[in-house]
């Protein structure tokens, strides 16, 4: 007999069986877990080291062709997520290799993708036939449901970081995919033509945005780097973020894609940010210098160029620039999703 309710043990187990049979369950045993006091990401902070990743990618280049693989990618699976192909709780990332002469055939899907070029040149991505030549540090946008393929006219392996909103789109059961009828979508123009047309503060008159995604598909590294240097000169260094520029949709001022935010940061040599956290998970990769990222409760990561670091949501982190040289890194997250749903939150120490 239960002293509080007067129910006998057999009554309790009969009740549990009835719940199970009728597909119901008591909320009161799980309420606090369902509605936690604050987010508890399952992903952990983790760094994928370029030295090793490069070796594994080049080896994959010897064992499978881009034609066979469709995309020759090593996915970056967060060790906290039980083998799920997610780099944070809500984002996907992978490292892709294309070799001279190869084509990664044209397809399209409703998941949005970004490319961030890490090594080599001579390769390109074509988005609806707009061709973006790839150079280290370029940020390339592949909007949802646009035909895209990759090719390589050069002479050295080209490798880049892919970022996709795949976990979110799949969670929403909104994923669609289609193969194009041939390997390549017909060429329309070079991406730098769109850059010339839409970048900057002087825009062609009467140009309304026609897409939630930026009409500029490729943001060349030298432009992002110049912007960082200009802001640094004007002391635009945020105590929590350092010198930070975001890639913007030139016609709306918003992010370049509806689900993914991308930005580039410079942390001056010998300087460090204060602790910062926000609800979205973040993925970063180093372009220049050797920053150290301290993640509260999860240790310190001394990063080298092209290392990729996953920072889970609602986890405090700070970045220390290296010795004698400014550190520059690229970062992406799914912040726009949180913003649109009224869920964005950050905390600054
Ligand atoms: C994809 O289409 C690419 O186009 C890369 O290069 C990675 C991961 C999952 C689903 C589609 C690409 C991808 C992907």
């Amino acid at each position: 007999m239960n002293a509080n309710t007067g129910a006998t043990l057999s009554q309790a187990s009969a009740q549990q069986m009835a719940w199970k049979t009728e597909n119901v369950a008591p909320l009161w045993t799980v309420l606090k877990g369902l509605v936690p006091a604050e987010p508890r990401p399952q992903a952990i902070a983790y760094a994928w080291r370029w030295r090793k990743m490069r070796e594994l990618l080049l080896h994959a280049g010897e064992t499978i062709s881009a034609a066979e693989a469709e995309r020759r990618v090593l996915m970056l699976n967060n060790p906290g997520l039980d083998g799920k192909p997610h780099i944070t709780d809500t984002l996907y990332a992978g490292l892709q290799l294309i070799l001279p002469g190869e084509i990664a055939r044209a397809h399209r899907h409703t998941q949005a993708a970004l490319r961030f070029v890490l090594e080599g040149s001579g390769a390109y991505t074509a988005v609806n036939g707009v061709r973006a030549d790839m150079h280290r540090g370029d940020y390339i946008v592949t909007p949802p449901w646009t035909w895209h393929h990759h090719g390589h006219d050069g002479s050295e392996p080209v490798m880049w970081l892919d970022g996709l909103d795949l976990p979110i789109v799949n969670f929403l059961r909104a994923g669609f995919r289609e193969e194009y009828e041939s390997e390549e979508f017909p060429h329309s123009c070079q991406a730098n033509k769109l850059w010339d047309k839409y970048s900057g503060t002087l825009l062609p008159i009467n140009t309304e945005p026609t897409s939630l995604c930026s009409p500029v598909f490729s943001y060349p590294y030298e432009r992002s780097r110049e912007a960082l240097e200009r802001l640094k000169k004007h002391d635009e260094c945020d105590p929590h973020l350092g010198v930070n520029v975001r890639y913007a949709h030139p016609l709306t001022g918003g992010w370049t894609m509806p689900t993914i935010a991308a930005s580039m940061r410079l942390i001056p040599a010998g300087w460090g940010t204060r602790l910062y956290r926000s609800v979205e998970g973040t993925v970063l990769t180093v372009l220049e210098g050797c920053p150290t990222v301290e993640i509260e409760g999860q240790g310190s990561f001394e990063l080298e160029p092209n290392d990729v670091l996953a920072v889970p949501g609602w986890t405090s982190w700070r970045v220390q620039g290296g010795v004698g040289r400014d550190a520059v890194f690229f970062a992406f997250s799914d912040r726009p999703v949180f913003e649109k749903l009224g869920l964005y939150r950050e905390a600054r120490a």
Side-chain angles (χ1 to χ4, degrees), residues 145-220:
W145 211 237
T146 51
W147 295 109
H148 56 283
H149 66 273
H150 317 300
H152 197 332
D153 298 333
S155 56
E156 57 185 13
V158 174
M159 290 168 266
W160 65 83
L161 176 70
D162 286 315
L164 283 91
D165 58 5
L166 200 137
I168 299 171
V169 174
N170 291 2
F171 170 73
L172 295 172
R173 304 293 186 266
F176 294 84
R177 183 179 61 99
E178 229 173 40
E179 307 301 319
Y180 191 62
E181 62 206 35
S182 52
E183 271 197 319
E184 296 170 68
F185 189 85
H187 178 77
S188 61
C189 70
Q190 291 294 124
N192 56 13
K193 178 176 159 192
L194 299 178
W195 172 274
D196 290 347
K197 189 167 168 186
Y198 293 114
S199 73
T201 46
L202 293 167
L203 292 164
I205 206 159
N206 298 334
T207 312
E208 296 300 322
T210 54
S211 161
L212 294 170
C213 295
S214 170
V216 175
F217 293 143
S218 177
Y219 292 71

Side-chain angles (χ1 to χ4, degrees), residues 101-285:
E102 288 187 326
I103 302 245
R105 61 170 299 119
H107 67 195
R108 65 177 177 178
H109 38 73
T110 50
Q111 291 85 358
L114 67 85
R115 329 275 162 209
F116 188 76
V117 185
L118 297 175
E119 187 182 307
S121 58
Y124 60 88
T125 283
V127 179
N128 280 346
V130 176
R131 180 174 156 153
D133 291 321
M134 294 175 135
H135 306 282
R136 179 170 156 78
D138 294 351
Y139 165 64
I140 297 168
V141 174
T142 310
W145 211 237
T146 51
W147 295 109
H148 56 283
H149 66 273
H150 317 300
H152 197 332
D153 298 333
S155 56
E156 57 185 13
V158 174
M159 290 168 266
W160 65 83
L161 176 70
D162 286 315
L164 283 91
D165 58 5
L166 200 137
I168 299 171
V169 174
N170 291 2
F171 170 73
L172 295 172
R173 304 293 186 266
F176 294 84
R177 183 179 61 99
E178 229 173 40
E179 307 301 319
Y180 191 62
E181 62 206 35
S182 52
E183 271 197 319
E184 296 170 68
F185 189 85
H187 178 77
S188 61
C189 70
Q190 291 294 124
N192 56 13
K193 178 176 159 192
L194 299 178
W195 172 274
D196 290 347
K197 189 167 168 186
Y198 293 114
S199 73
T201 46
L202 293 167
L203 292 164
I205 206 159
N206 298 334
T207 312
E208 296 300 322
T210 54
S211 161
L212 294 170
C213 295
S214 170
V216 175
F217 293 143
S218 177
Y219 292 71
Y221 183 47
E222 66 262 33
R223 305 305 183 102
S224 348
R225 190 67 184 83
E226 279 165 21
L228 286 174
E229 215 52 50
R230 273 199 309 275
L231 291 181
K232 181 185 160 189
K233 201 171 79 194
H234 293 296
D235 289 330
E236 292 286 335
C237 191
D238 181 282
H240 294 87
L241 304 173
V243 184
N244 199 175
V245 289
R246 67 185 177 86
Y247 297 92
H249 185 315
L251 304 176
T252 65
W255 302 105
T256 52
M257 291 191 278
T259 50
I260 301 181
S263 72
M264 191 169 273
R265 288 199 209 175
L266 181 150
I267 309 294
W271 184 83
T273 68
R274 295 199 198 147
L275 280 172
Y276 170 88
R277 65 175 163 171
S278 54
V279 282
E280 88 272 31
T282 303
V283 177
L284 62 90
T285 187

